[in-house]
Amino acid sequence: MKLKLDLHDIYNKGGEIDRALHGIIQEAIRKKATQVEIIPGKGSGQLKKKVLRFLEKKEIKAVYHRIDKDAKNHGRLFVYFQWK
């Protein structure tokens, strides 16, 4: 199962971004999703940096397997999960 989170609509609302990121990670855990696609958009790169900082938090990093940045579209990230 793949989940998708598009942050274009809330790019300038810090609290909502954090809630959306927490929500998609929790949904991935509940549904045992194998991949989450996060779309911060291209822009200046500040939103992508914020998403990457969020994903580097110790409690979040413990949940997922790896992160890939899309080689063809730098406005997109993939977070992969492995479930036993």
Side-chain angles (χ1 to χ4, degrees):
M1 172 184 281
K2 297 177 184 178
L3 300 175
K4 185 175 181 180
L5 174 64
D6 189 344
L7 298 173
H8 282 103
D9 295 338
I10 56 173
Y11 71 94
N12 61 350
K13 300 174 182 148
E16 284 187 41
I17 292 167
D18 288 341
R19 279 192 293 279
L21 290 169
H22 273 288
I24 199 74
I25 296 296
Q26 293 304 317
E27 185 177 351
I29 292 168
R30 269 195 323 277
K31 294 182 176 181
K32 300 279 191 216
T34 56
Q35 177 184 334
V36 172
E37 178 183 349
I38 301 174
I39 304 171
K42 294 182 180 177
S44 67
Q46 294 304 309
L47 184 53
K48 184 175 180 180
K49 288 178 189 174
K50 180 175 178 59
V51 171
L52 288 171
R53 279 193 305 270
F54 171 83
L55 292 171
E56 289 296 319
K57 290 181 182 178
K58 191 169 94 173
E59 67 272 10
I60 302 299
K61 197 171 188 172
V63 177
Y64 65 85
H65 175 62
R66 67 185 169 96
I67 301 173
D68 274 346
K69 298 170 185 150
D70 191 342
K72 297 176 184 162
N73 179 355
H74 68 270
R76 189 162 72 161
L77 299 168
F78 297 103
V79 182
Y80 296 95
F81 297 83
Q82 282 188 333
W83 307 106
K84 295 177 182 164

